[in-house]
PDB file of all heavy atoms in Angstrom:
ATOM      1  N   VAL A 157      -2.705  -1.590  -9.291  1.00 98.00           N
ATOM      2  CA  VAL A 157      -3.503  -2.492 -10.040  1.00 98.00           C
ATOM      3  C   VAL A 157      -4.293  -1.796 -11.119  1.00 98.00           C
ATOM      4  O   VAL A 157      -4.377  -2.293 -12.305  1.00 98.00           O
ATOM      5  CB  VAL A 157      -4.445  -3.324  -9.119  1.00 98.00           C
ATOM      6  CG1 VAL A 157      -5.353  -4.257  -9.985  1.00 98.00           C
ATOM      7  CG2 VAL A 157      -3.666  -4.182  -8.198  1.00 98.00           C
ATOM      8  N   LEU A 158      -4.797  -0.634 -10.806  1.00 98.00           N
ATOM      9  CA  LEU A 158      -5.584   0.089 -11.829  1.00 98.00           C
ATOM     10  C   LEU A 158      -4.624   0.568 -12.991  1.00 98.00           C
ATOM     11  O   LEU A 158      -5.134   0.549 -14.194  1.00 98.00           O
ATOM     12  CB  LEU A 158      -6.194   1.363 -11.202  1.00 98.00           C
ATOM     13  CG  LEU A 158      -7.279   1.176 -10.151  1.00 98.00           C
ATOM     14  CD1 LEU A 158      -7.776   2.565  -9.681  1.00 98.00           C
ATOM     15  CD2 LEU A 158      -8.407   0.348 -10.746  1.00 98.00           C
ATOM     16  N   LEU A 159      -3.429   0.950 -12.716  1.00 98.00           N
ATOM     17  CA  LEU A 159      -2.472   1.352 -13.714  1.00 98.00           C
ATOM     18  C   LEU A 159      -2.192   0.148 -14.632  1.00 98.00           C
ATOM     19  O   LEU A 159      -2.127   0.167 -15.870  1.00 98.00           O
ATOM     20  CB  LEU A 159      -1.156   1.890 -13.119  1.00 98.00           C
ATOM     21  CG  LEU A 159      -1.267   3.292 -12.598  1.00 98.00           C
ATOM     22  CD1 LEU A 159      -0.012   3.662 -11.933  1.00 98.00           C
ATOM     23  CD2 LEU A 159      -1.563   4.303 -13.726  1.00 98.00           C
ATOM     24  N   THR A 160      -1.995  -1.053 -14.027  1.00 98.00           N
ATOM     25  CA  THR A 160      -1.694  -2.274 -14.702  1.00 98.00           C
ATOM     26  C   THR A 160      -2.958  -2.640 -15.581  1.00 98.00           C
ATOM     27  O   THR A 160      -2.702  -2.978 -16.824  1.00 98.00           O
ATOM     28  CB  THR A 160      -1.407  -3.418 -13.741  1.00 98.00           C
ATOM     29  OG1 THR A 160      -0.351  -3.079 -12.928  1.00 98.00           O
ATOM     30  CG2 THR A 160      -1.118  -4.742 -14.436  1.00 98.00           C
ATOM     31  N   ALA A 161      -4.103  -2.575 -15.105  1.00 98.00           N
ATOM     32  CA  ALA A 161      -5.323  -2.919 -15.854  1.00 98.00           C
ATOM     33  C   ALA A 161      -5.442  -1.995 -17.007  1.00 98.00           C
ATOM     34  O   ALA A 161      -5.792  -2.406 -18.179  1.00 98.00           O
ATOM     35  CB  ALA A 161      -6.554  -2.910 -14.924  1.00 98.00           C
ATOM     36  N   SER A 162      -5.270  -0.624 -16.835  1.00 98.00           N
ATOM     37  CA  SER A 162      -5.339   0.312 -17.903  1.00 98.00           C
ATOM     38  C   SER A 162      -4.351  -0.047 -19.001  1.00 98.00           C
ATOM     39  O   SER A 162      -4.673  -0.053 -20.198  1.00 98.00           O
ATOM     40  CB  SER A 162      -5.098   1.699 -17.304  1.00 98.00           C
ATOM     41  OG  SER A 162      -6.084   2.110 -16.524  1.00 98.00           O
ATOM     42  N   TYR A 163      -3.104  -0.303 -18.596  1.00 98.00           N
ATOM     43  CA  TYR A 163      -2.115  -0.603 -19.553  1.00 98.00           C
ATOM     44  C   TYR A 163      -2.484  -1.825 -20.405  1.00 98.00           C
ATOM     45  O   TYR A 163      -2.369  -1.852 -21.632  1.00 98.00           O
ATOM     46  CB  TYR A 163      -0.689  -0.834 -18.874  1.00 98.00           C
ATOM     47  CG  TYR A 163       0.366  -1.154 -19.799  1.00 98.00           C
ATOM     48  CD1 TYR A 163       0.951  -0.241 -20.621  1.00 98.00           C
ATOM     49  CD2 TYR A 163       0.842  -2.485 -19.962  1.00 98.00           C
ATOM     50  CE1 TYR A 163       2.037  -0.516 -21.450  1.00 98.00           C
ATOM     51  CE2 TYR A 163       1.850  -2.829 -20.845  1.00 98.00           C
ATOM     52  CZ  TYR A 163       2.482  -1.771 -21.545  1.00 98.00           C
ATOM     53  OH  TYR A 163       3.530  -2.141 -22.460  1.00 98.00           O
ATOM     54  N   GLN A 164      -2.873  -2.907 -19.731  1.00 97.00           N
ATOM     55  CA  GLN A 164      -3.310  -4.049 -20.403  1.00 97.00           C
ATOM     56  C   GLN A 164      -4.420  -3.823 -21.443  1.00 97.00           C
ATOM     57  O   GLN A 164      -4.406  -4.304 -22.515  1.00 97.00           O
ATOM     58  CB  GLN A 164      -3.731  -5.281 -19.443  1.00 97.00           C
ATOM     59  CG  GLN A 164      -2.713  -5.775 -18.584  1.00 97.00           C
ATOM     60  CD  GLN A 164      -3.229  -6.759 -17.541  1.00 97.00           C
ATOM     61  OE1 GLN A 164      -4.450  -6.912 -17.384  1.00 97.00           O
ATOM     62  NE2 GLN A 164      -2.288  -7.389 -16.868  1.00 97.00           N
ATOM     63  N   ASP A 165      -5.353  -3.083 -20.964  1.00 97.00           N
ATOM     64  CA  ASP A 165      -6.530  -2.817 -21.873  1.00 97.00           C
ATOM     65  C   ASP A 165      -6.190  -2.008 -23.070  1.00 97.00           C
ATOM     66  O   ASP A 165      -6.622  -2.238 -24.150  1.00 97.00           O
ATOM     67  CB  ASP A 165      -7.691  -2.147 -21.049  1.00 97.00           C
ATOM     68  CG  ASP A 165      -9.016  -2.413 -21.641  1.00 97.00           C
ATOM     69  OD1 ASP A 165      -9.221  -3.373 -22.464  1.00 97.00           O
ATOM     70  OD2 ASP A 165      -9.968  -1.660 -21.252  1.00 97.00           O
ATOM     71  N   ILE A 166      -5.323  -0.993 -22.862  1.00 96.00           N
ATOM     72  CA  ILE A 166      -4.826  -0.108 -24.015  1.00 96.00           C
ATOM     73  C   ILE A 166      -4.067  -1.009 -24.958  1.00 96.00           C
ATOM     74  O   ILE A 166      -4.249  -0.908 -26.173  1.00 96.00           O
ATOM     75  CB  ILE A 166      -4.025   1.109 -23.420  1.00 96.00           C
ATOM     76  CG1 ILE A 166      -4.888   2.005 -22.737  1.00 96.00           C
ATOM     77  CG2 ILE A 166      -3.314   1.783 -24.639  1.00 96.00           C
ATOM     78  CD1 ILE A 166      -4.200   3.073 -21.967  1.00 96.00           C
ATOM     79  N   LYS A 167      -3.168  -1.868 -24.423  1.00 97.00           N
ATOM     80  CA  LYS A 167      -2.280  -2.569 -25.329  1.00 97.00           C
ATOM     81  C   LYS A 167      -3.025  -3.759 -26.087  1.00 97.00           C
ATOM     82  O   LYS A 167      -2.678  -4.002 -27.306  1.00 97.00           O
ATOM     83  CB  LYS A 167      -1.095  -3.210 -24.571  1.00 97.00           C
ATOM     84  CG  LYS A 167      -0.064  -2.179 -24.204  1.00 97.00           C
ATOM     85  CD  LYS A 167       0.590  -1.631 -25.397  1.00 97.00           C
ATOM     86  CE  LYS A 167       1.642  -0.615 -25.147  1.00 97.00           C
ATOM     87  NZ  LYS A 167       2.233  -0.062 -26.265  1.00 97.00           N
ATOM     88  N   LYS A 168      -3.847  -4.485 -25.358  1.00 96.00           N
ATOM     89  CA  LYS A 168      -4.420  -5.744 -25.980  1.00 96.00           C
ATOM     90  C   LYS A 168      -5.923  -5.794 -25.972  1.00 96.00           C
ATOM     91  O   LYS A 168      -6.494  -6.811 -26.293  1.00 96.00           O
ATOM     92  CB  LYS A 168      -3.871  -6.877 -25.243  1.00 96.00           C
ATOM     93  CG  LYS A 168      -2.373  -7.101 -25.532  1.00 96.00           C
ATOM     94  CD  LYS A 168      -1.823  -8.404 -25.084  1.00 96.00           C
ATOM     95  CE  LYS A 168      -0.390  -8.559 -25.384  1.00 96.00           C
ATOM     96  NZ  LYS A 168       0.170  -9.806 -25.157  1.00 96.00           N
ATOM     97  N   MET A 169      -6.680  -4.727 -25.450  1.00 95.00           N
ATOM     98  CA  MET A 169      -8.107  -4.712 -25.313  1.00 95.00           C
ATOM     99  C   MET A 169      -8.563  -5.829 -24.473  1.00 95.00           C
ATOM    100  O   MET A 169      -9.502  -6.493 -24.716  1.00 95.00           O
ATOM    101  CB  MET A 169      -8.759  -4.796 -26.691  1.00 95.00           C
ATOM    102  CG  MET A 169      -8.569  -3.537 -27.589  1.00 95.00           C
ATOM    103  SD  MET A 169      -9.506  -2.178 -27.070  1.00 95.00           S
ATOM    104  CE  MET A 169     -11.116  -2.673 -27.636  1.00 95.00           C
ATOM    105  N   GLU A 170      -7.763  -6.141 -23.476  1.00 96.00           N
ATOM    106  CA  GLU A 170      -8.010  -7.297 -22.492  1.00 96.00           C
ATOM    107  C   GLU A 170      -7.519  -6.940 -21.088  1.00 96.00           C
ATOM    108  O   GLU A 170      -6.390  -6.323 -20.992  1.00 96.00           O
ATOM    109  CB  GLU A 170      -7.443  -8.548 -22.991  1.00 96.00           C
ATOM    110  CG  GLU A 170      -7.559  -9.727 -22.148  1.00 96.00           C
ATOM    111  CD  GLU A 170      -6.843 -10.969 -22.660  1.00 96.00           C
ATOM    112  OE1 GLU A 170      -6.081 -10.859 -23.679  1.00 96.00           O
ATOM    113  OE2 GLU A 170      -6.987 -11.980 -22.017  1.00 96.00           O
ATOM    114  N   ILE A 171      -8.282  -7.262 -20.099  1.00 97.00           N
ATOM    115  CA  ILE A 171      -7.746  -7.103 -18.698  1.00 97.00           C
ATOM    116  C   ILE A 171      -7.645  -8.474 -18.122  1.00 97.00           C
ATOM    117  O   ILE A 171      -8.650  -9.206 -18.024  1.00 97.00           O
ATOM    118  CB  ILE A 171      -8.716  -6.191 -17.869  1.00 97.00           C
ATOM    119  CG1 ILE A 171      -8.949  -4.869 -18.497  1.00 97.00           C
ATOM    120  CG2 ILE A 171      -8.229  -6.042 -16.447  1.00 97.00           C
ATOM    121  CD1 ILE A 171     -10.024  -3.981 -17.901  1.00 97.00           C
ATOM    122  N   LYS A 172      -6.466  -8.783 -17.724  1.00 97.00           N
ATOM    123  CA  LYS A 172      -6.166 -10.200 -17.222  1.00 97.00           C
ATOM    124  C   LYS A 172      -6.929 -10.439 -15.840  1.00 97.00           C
ATOM    125  O   LYS A 172      -7.085  -9.483 -15.072  1.00 97.00           O
ATOM    126  CB  LYS A 172      -4.706 -10.428 -17.069  1.00 97.00           C
ATOM    127  CG  LYS A 172      -3.903 -10.216 -18.224  1.00 97.00           C
ATOM    128  CD  LYS A 172      -3.922 -11.499 -19.038  1.00 97.00           C
ATOM    129  CE  LYS A 172      -2.966 -11.296 -20.237  1.00 97.00           C
ATOM    130  NZ  LYS A 172      -3.065 -12.249 -21.232  1.00 97.00           N
ATOM    131  N   ASP A 173      -7.282 -11.624 -15.576  1.00 97.00           N
ATOM    132  CA  ASP A 173      -8.086 -11.918 -14.360  1.00 97.00           C
ATOM    133  C   ASP A 173      -7.171 -11.674 -13.157  1.00 97.00           C
ATOM    134  O   ASP A 173      -7.697 -11.555 -12.029  1.00 97.00           O
ATOM    135  CB  ASP A 173      -8.488 -13.434 -14.438  1.00 97.00           C
ATOM    136  CG  ASP A 173      -9.636 -13.697 -15.322  1.00 97.00           C
ATOM    137  OD1 ASP A 173     -10.374 -12.669 -15.650  1.00 97.00           O
ATOM    138  OD2 ASP A 173      -9.836 -14.787 -15.723  1.00 97.00           O
ATOM    139  N   GLY A 174      -5.892 -11.664 -13.281  1.00 97.00           N
ATOM    140  CA  GLY A 174      -5.005 -11.415 -12.072  1.00 97.00           C
ATOM    141  C   GLY A 174      -5.352  -9.971 -11.503  1.00 97.00           C
ATOM    142  O   GLY A 174      -5.204  -9.794 -10.308  1.00 97.00           O
ATOM    143  N   CYS A 175      -5.696  -9.000 -12.349  1.00 98.00           N
ATOM    144  CA  CYS A 175      -5.972  -7.749 -11.841  1.00 98.00           C
ATOM    145  C   CYS A 175      -7.269  -7.767 -11.028  1.00 98.00           C
ATOM    146  O   CYS A 175      -7.391  -7.150  -9.921  1.00 98.00           O
ATOM    147  CB  CYS A 175      -6.227  -6.725 -13.049  1.00 98.00           C
ATOM    148  SG  CYS A 175      -4.624  -6.276 -13.820  1.00 98.00           S
ATOM    149  N   HIS A 176      -8.289  -8.553 -11.562  1.00 98.00           N
ATOM    150  CA  HIS A 176      -9.515  -8.588 -10.838  1.00 98.00           C
ATOM    151  C   HIS A 176      -9.270  -9.290  -9.465  1.00 98.00           C
ATOM    152  O   HIS A 176      -9.766  -8.879  -8.367  1.00 98.00           O
ATOM    153  CB  HIS A 176     -10.575  -9.385 -11.654  1.00 98.00           C
ATOM    154  CG  HIS A 176     -10.661  -8.891 -12.953  1.00 98.00           C
ATOM    155  ND1 HIS A 176     -10.386  -9.688 -14.110  1.00 98.00           N
ATOM    156  CD2 HIS A 176     -11.127  -7.758 -13.514  1.00 98.00           C
ATOM    157  CE1 HIS A 176     -10.674  -8.973 -15.221  1.00 98.00           C
ATOM    158  NE2 HIS A 176     -11.038  -7.778 -14.865  1.00 98.00           N
ATOM    159  N   ALA A 177      -8.515 -10.346  -9.605  1.00 98.00           N
ATOM    160  CA  ALA A 177      -8.251 -11.119  -8.278  1.00 98.00           C
ATOM    161  C   ALA A 177      -7.532 -10.294  -7.273  1.00 98.00           C
ATOM    162  O   ALA A 177      -7.767 -10.322  -6.030  1.00 98.00           O
ATOM    163  CB  ALA A 177      -7.508 -12.371  -8.641  1.00 98.00           C
ATOM    164  N   ALA A 178      -6.570  -9.427  -7.788  1.00 98.00           N
ATOM    165  CA  ALA A 178      -5.781  -8.593  -6.872  1.00 98.00           C
ATOM    166  C   ALA A 178      -6.705  -7.584  -6.161  1.00 98.00           C
ATOM    167  O   ALA A 178      -6.515  -7.306  -4.966  1.00 98.00           O
ATOM    168  CB  ALA A 178      -4.681  -7.849  -7.627  1.00 98.00           C
ATOM    169  N   ILE A 179      -7.675  -7.050  -6.932  1.00 98.00           N
ATOM    170  CA  ILE A 179      -8.558  -6.109  -6.342  1.00 98.00           C
ATOM    171  C   ILE A 179      -9.471  -6.713  -5.242  1.00 98.00           C
ATOM    172  O   ILE A 179      -9.732  -6.188  -4.180  1.00 98.00           O
ATOM    173  CB  ILE A 179      -9.344  -5.354  -7.418  1.00 98.00           C
ATOM    174  CG1 ILE A 179      -8.462  -4.487  -8.212  1.00 98.00           C
ATOM    175  CG2 ILE A 179     -10.483  -4.487  -6.745  1.00 98.00           C
ATOM    176  CD1 ILE A 179      -9.098  -3.846  -9.445  1.00 98.00           C
ATOM    177  N   VAL A 180      -9.892  -7.999  -5.614  1.00 98.00           N
ATOM    178  CA  VAL A 180     -10.819  -8.732  -4.592  1.00 98.00           C
ATOM    179  C   VAL A 180      -9.924  -8.993  -3.325  1.00 98.00           C
ATOM    180  O   VAL A 180     -10.476  -8.841  -2.269  1.00 98.00           O
ATOM    181  CB  VAL A 180     -11.295 -10.084  -5.272  1.00 98.00           C
ATOM    182  CG1 VAL A 180     -11.903 -10.985  -4.202  1.00 98.00           C
ATOM    183  CG2 VAL A 180     -12.316  -9.763  -6.365  1.00 98.00           C
ATOM    184  N   LEU A 181      -8.695  -9.347  -3.469  1.00 98.00           N
ATOM    185  CA  LEU A 181      -7.892  -9.518  -2.309  1.00 98.00           C
ATOM    186  C   LEU A 181      -7.659  -8.265  -1.478  1.00 98.00           C
ATOM    187  O   LEU A 181      -7.709  -8.221  -0.234  1.00 98.00           O
ATOM    188  CB  LEU A 181      -6.487 -10.086  -2.655  1.00 98.00           C
ATOM    189  CG  LEU A 181      -6.475 -11.537  -3.100  1.00 98.00           C
ATOM    190  CD1 LEU A 181      -5.129 -11.945  -3.669  1.00 98.00           C
ATOM    191  CD2 LEU A 181      -6.936 -12.528  -2.089  1.00 98.00           C
ATOM    192  N   LEU A 182      -7.532  -7.128  -2.201  1.00 98.00           N
ATOM    193  CA  LEU A 182      -7.407  -5.796  -1.570  1.00 98.00           C
ATOM    194  C   LEU A 182      -8.783  -5.573  -0.862  1.00 98.00           C
ATOM    195  O   LEU A 182      -8.743  -4.923   0.259  1.00 98.00           O
ATOM    196  CB  LEU A 182      -7.097  -4.773  -2.516  1.00 98.00           C
ATOM    197  CG  LEU A 182      -5.603  -4.758  -3.099  1.00 98.00           C
ATOM    198  CD1 LEU A 182      -5.516  -3.778  -4.217  1.00 98.00           C
ATOM    199  CD2 LEU A 182      -4.560  -4.429  -2.011  1.00 98.00           C
ATOM    200  N   ALA A 183      -9.844  -5.885  -1.509  1.00 97.00           N
ATOM    201  CA  ALA A 183     -11.161  -5.583  -0.918  1.00 97.00           C
ATOM    202  C   ALA A 183     -11.313  -6.407   0.383  1.00 97.00           C
ATOM    203  O   ALA A 183     -11.836  -5.917   1.381  1.00 97.00           O
ATOM    204  CB  ALA A 183     -12.297  -5.864  -1.853  1.00 97.00           C
ATOM    205  N   ALA A 184     -10.904  -7.757   0.329  1.00 96.00           N
ATOM    206  CA  ALA A 184     -10.922  -8.565   1.550  1.00 96.00           C
ATOM    207  C   ALA A 184     -10.134  -7.915   2.642  1.00 96.00           C
ATOM    208  O   ALA A 184     -10.578  -7.846   3.809  1.00 96.00           O
ATOM    209  CB  ALA A 184     -10.431  -9.927   1.225  1.00 96.00           C
ATOM    210  N   ALA A 185      -8.959  -7.446   2.392  1.00 96.00           N
ATOM    211  CA  ALA A 185      -8.086  -6.758   3.419  1.00 96.00           C
ATOM    212  C   ALA A 185      -8.727  -5.500   3.856  1.00 96.00           C
ATOM    213  O   ALA A 185      -8.716  -5.233   5.084  1.00 96.00           O
ATOM    214  CB  ALA A 185      -6.694  -6.526   2.825  1.00 96.00           C
ATOM    215  N   ALA A 186      -9.337  -4.752   3.046  1.00 96.00           N
ATOM    216  CA  ALA A 186      -9.983  -3.509   3.341  1.00 96.00           C
ATOM    217  C   ALA A 186     -11.206  -3.778   4.289  1.00 96.00           C
ATOM    218  O   ALA A 186     -11.468  -2.991   5.238  1.00 96.00           O
ATOM    219  CB  ALA A 186     -10.422  -2.753   2.117  1.00 96.00           C
ATOM    220  N   MET A 187     -11.925  -4.932   4.075  1.00 94.00           N
ATOM    221  CA  MET A 187     -12.975  -5.233   4.894  1.00 94.00           C
ATOM    222  C   MET A 187     -12.558  -5.449   6.313  1.00 94.00           C
ATOM    223  O   MET A 187     -13.223  -5.205   7.327  1.00 94.00           O
ATOM    224  CB  MET A 187     -13.751  -6.456   4.450  1.00 94.00           C
ATOM    225  CG  MET A 187     -14.588  -6.262   3.250  1.00 94.00           C
ATOM    226  SD  MET A 187     -15.477  -7.789   2.775  1.00 94.00           S
ATOM    227  CE  MET A 187     -15.691  -7.614   1.047  1.00 94.00           C
ATOM    228  N   LEU A 188     -11.378  -5.953   6.523  1.00 93.00           N
ATOM    229  CA  LEU A 188     -10.858  -6.142   7.893  1.00 93.00           C
ATOM    230  C   LEU A 188     -10.211  -4.951   8.486  1.00 93.00           C
ATOM    231  O   LEU A 188     -10.340  -4.710   9.696  1.00 93.00           O
ATOM    232  CB  LEU A 188      -9.727  -7.236   7.793  1.00 93.00           C
ATOM    233  CG  LEU A 188     -10.161  -8.695   7.390  1.00 93.00           C
ATOM    234  CD1 LEU A 188      -9.035  -9.543   7.223  1.00 93.00           C
ATOM    235  CD2 LEU A 188     -11.192  -9.214   8.362  1.00 93.00           C
ATOM    236  N   LEU A 189      -9.677  -4.109   7.668  1.00 92.00           N
ATOM    237  CA  LEU A 189      -8.957  -2.945   8.181  1.00 92.00           C
ATOM    238  C   LEU A 189      -9.686  -1.596   8.129  1.00 92.00           C
ATOM    239  O   LEU A 189      -9.274  -0.732   8.914  1.00 92.00           O
ATOM    240  CB  LEU A 189      -7.583  -2.764   7.367  1.00 92.00           C
ATOM    241  CG  LEU A 189      -6.682  -3.969   7.353  1.00 92.00           C
ATOM    242  CD1 LEU A 189      -5.504  -3.769   6.425  1.00 92.00           C
ATOM    243  CD2 LEU A 189      -6.159  -4.151   8.810  1.00 92.00           C
ATOM    244  N   ASP A 190     -10.600  -1.496   7.198  1.00 85.00           N
ATOM    245  CA  ASP A 190     -11.285  -0.220   6.969  1.00 85.00           C
ATOM    246  C   ASP A 190     -12.794  -0.289   7.437  1.00 85.00           C
ATOM    247  O   ASP A 190     -13.565  -0.917   6.747  1.00 85.00           O
ATOM    248  CB  ASP A 190     -11.235   0.190   5.492  1.00 85.00           C
ATOM    249  CG  ASP A 190     -11.989   1.470   5.238  1.00 85.00           C
ATOM    250  OD1 ASP A 190     -12.470   2.213   6.167  1.00 85.00           O
ATOM    251  OD2 ASP A 190     -12.233   1.711   4.056  1.00 85.00           O
ATOM    252  N   ARG A 191     -13.054   0.234   8.530  1.00 82.00           N
ATOM    253  CA  ARG A 191     -14.386   0.161   9.099  1.00 82.00           C
ATOM    254  C   ARG A 191     -15.359   1.265   8.581  1.00 82.00           C
ATOM    255  O   ARG A 191     -16.486   1.299   8.878  1.00 82.00           O
ATOM    256  CB  ARG A 191     -14.395   0.193  10.654  1.00 82.00           C
ATOM    257  CG  ARG A 191     -13.555  -0.870  11.296  1.00 82.00           C
ATOM    258  CD  ARG A 191     -14.265  -2.178  11.178  1.00 82.00           C
ATOM    259  NE  ARG A 191     -13.533  -3.265  11.843  1.00 82.00           N
ATOM    260  CZ  ARG A 191     -13.516  -4.468  11.422  1.00 82.00           C
ATOM    261  NH1 ARG A 191     -14.185  -4.796  10.395  1.00 82.00           N
ATOM    262  NH2 ARG A 191     -12.715  -5.384  12.108  1.00 82.00           N
ATOM    263  N   ASN A 192     -14.788   2.150   7.771  1.00 86.00           N
ATOM    264  CA  ASN A 192     -15.601   3.276   7.178  1.00 86.00           C
ATOM    265  C   ASN A 192     -16.617   2.785   6.119  1.00 86.00           C
ATOM    266  O   ASN A 192     -17.706   3.395   5.988  1.00 86.00           O
ATOM    267  CB  ASN A 192     -14.714   4.367   6.603  1.00 86.00           C
ATOM    268  CG  ASN A 192     -13.953   5.051   7.636  1.00 86.00           C
ATOM    269  OD1 ASN A 192     -14.353   5.192   8.807  1.00 86.00           O
ATOM    270  ND2 ASN A 192     -12.750   5.509   7.291  1.00 86.00           N
ATOM    271  N   THR A 193     -16.255   1.769   5.443  1.00 91.00           N
ATOM    272  CA  THR A 193     -17.192   1.230   4.365  1.00 91.00           C
ATOM    273  C   THR A 193     -17.552  -0.139   4.840  1.00 91.00           C
ATOM    274  O   THR A 193     -16.819  -1.010   4.935  1.00 91.00           O
ATOM    275  CB  THR A 193     -16.418   1.130   3.011  1.00 91.00           C
ATOM    276  OG1 THR A 193     -15.858   2.375   2.724  1.00 91.00           O
ATOM    277  CG2 THR A 193     -17.346   0.660   1.938  1.00 91.00           C
ATOM    278  N   GLY A 194     -18.908  -0.288   5.072  1.00 93.00           N
ATOM    279  CA  GLY A 194     -19.473  -1.539   5.536  1.00 93.00           C
ATOM    280  C   GLY A 194     -19.402  -2.698   4.532  1.00 93.00           C
ATOM    281  O   GLY A 194     -19.335  -2.432   3.291  1.00 93.00           O
ATOM    282  N   ILE A 195     -19.627  -3.853   4.963  1.00 95.00           N
ATOM    283  CA  ILE A 195     -19.734  -5.071   4.082  1.00 95.00           C
ATOM    284  C   ILE A 195     -20.905  -4.942   3.081  1.00 95.00           C
ATOM    285  O   ILE A 195     -20.791  -5.245   1.903  1.00 95.00           O
ATOM    286  CB  ILE A 195     -19.746  -6.350   4.808  1.00 95.00           C
ATOM    287  CG1 ILE A 195     -18.395  -6.497   5.603  1.00 95.00           C
ATOM    288  CG2 ILE A 195     -20.049  -7.518   3.980  1.00 95.00           C
ATOM    289  CD1 ILE A 195     -18.301  -7.693   6.460  1.00 95.00           C
ATOM    290  N   ALA A 196     -22.044  -4.487   3.617  1.00 96.00           N
ATOM    291  CA  ALA A 196     -23.278  -4.262   2.736  1.00 96.00           C
ATOM    292  C   ALA A 196     -22.894  -3.335   1.592  1.00 96.00           C
ATOM    293  O   ALA A 196     -23.334  -3.618   0.485  1.00 96.00           O
ATOM    294  CB  ALA A 196     -24.470  -3.926   3.587  1.00 96.00           C
ATOM    295  N   SER A 197     -22.386  -2.269   1.940  1.00 96.00           N
ATOM    296  CA  SER A 197     -21.942  -1.264   0.896  1.00 96.00           C
ATOM    297  C   SER A 197     -20.956  -1.802  -0.149  1.00 96.00           C
ATOM    298  O   SER A 197     -21.136  -1.609  -1.336  1.00 96.00           O
ATOM    299  CB  SER A 197     -21.336  -0.022   1.519  1.00 96.00           C
ATOM    300  OG  SER A 197     -20.920   0.936   0.497  1.00 96.00           O
ATOM    301  N   ARG A 198     -20.105  -2.616   0.324  1.00 97.00           N
ATOM    302  CA  ARG A 198     -19.123  -3.266  -0.563  1.00 97.00           C
ATOM    303  C   ARG A 198     -19.776  -4.271  -1.474  1.00 97.00           C
ATOM    304  O   ARG A 198     -19.562  -4.337  -2.712  1.00 97.00           O
ATOM    305  CB  ARG A 198     -17.955  -3.865   0.192  1.00 97.00           C
ATOM    306  CG  ARG A 198     -17.081  -2.881   0.882  1.00 97.00           C
ATOM    307  CD  ARG A 198     -16.033  -3.587   1.751  1.00 97.00           C
ATOM    308  NE  ARG A 198     -15.262  -2.730   2.520  1.00 97.00           N
ATOM    309  CZ  ARG A 198     -14.284  -1.878   2.104  1.00 97.00           C
ATOM    310  NH1 ARG A 198     -13.978  -1.930   0.925  1.00 97.00           N
ATOM    311  NH2 ARG A 198     -13.622  -1.093   3.007  1.00 97.00           N
ATOM    312  N   LEU A 199     -20.702  -5.082  -0.951  1.00 97.00           N
ATOM    313  CA  LEU A 199     -21.397  -6.127  -1.751  1.00 97.00           C
ATOM    314  C   LEU A 199     -22.358  -5.417  -2.744  1.00 97.00           C
ATOM    315  O   LEU A 199     -22.363  -5.804  -3.907  1.00 97.00           O
ATOM    316  CB  LEU A 199     -22.179  -7.043  -0.837  1.00 97.00           C
ATOM    317  CG  LEU A 199     -21.358  -7.967   0.059  1.00 97.00           C
ATOM    318  CD1 LEU A 199     -22.261  -8.777   0.991  1.00 97.00           C
ATOM    319  CD2 LEU A 199     -20.525  -8.882  -0.780  1.00 97.00           C
ATOM    320  N   LEU A 200     -23.033  -4.392  -2.300  1.00 98.00           N
ATOM    321  CA  LEU A 200     -23.825  -3.567  -3.276  1.00 98.00           C
ATOM    322  C   LEU A 200     -22.952  -2.941  -4.308  1.00 98.00           C
ATOM    323  O   LEU A 200     -23.306  -2.836  -5.473  1.00 98.00           O
ATOM    324  CB  LEU A 200     -24.680  -2.570  -2.483  1.00 98.00           C
ATOM    325  CG  LEU A 200     -25.657  -1.787  -3.268  1.00 98.00           C
ATOM    326  CD1 LEU A 200     -26.696  -2.681  -4.034  1.00 98.00           C
ATOM    327  CD2 LEU A 200     -26.454  -0.839  -2.413  1.00 98.00           C
ATOM    328  N   GLY A 201     -21.816  -2.513  -3.880  1.00 97.00           N
ATOM    329  CA  GLY A 201     -20.872  -1.813  -4.835  1.00 97.00           C
ATOM    330  C   GLY A 201     -20.412  -2.831  -5.863  1.00 97.00           C
ATOM    331  O   GLY A 201     -20.175  -2.373  -7.125  1.00 97.00           O
TER     332      GLY A 201
END
């Protein structure tokens, strides 16, 4: 997703909302699977 967002921004000076949404979905999955980073840290992040 980071590579996609970088490419979009370099080409058109715009990052599509699909990249943001994909990262939010990854964050939701990480909240369930990765106990090293707490929800409070993620929200503050």
Side-chain angles (χ1 to χ4, degrees):
V157 176
L158 294 181
L159 287 171
T160 302
S162 294
Y163 179 79
Q164 289 174 355
D165 207 17
I166 289 168
K167 285 296 184 187
K168 295 192 177 185
M169 297 281 290
E170 177 183 6
I171 301 170
K172 302 277 186 191
D173 286 338
C175 288
H176 310 119
I179 294 173
V180 169
L181 290 174
L182 290 171
M187 284 183 207
L188 297 173
L189 301 173
D190 176 15
R191 300 288 183 213
N192 294 328
T193 305
I195 293 175
S197 176
R198 292 178 188 280
L199 293 174
L200 185 57

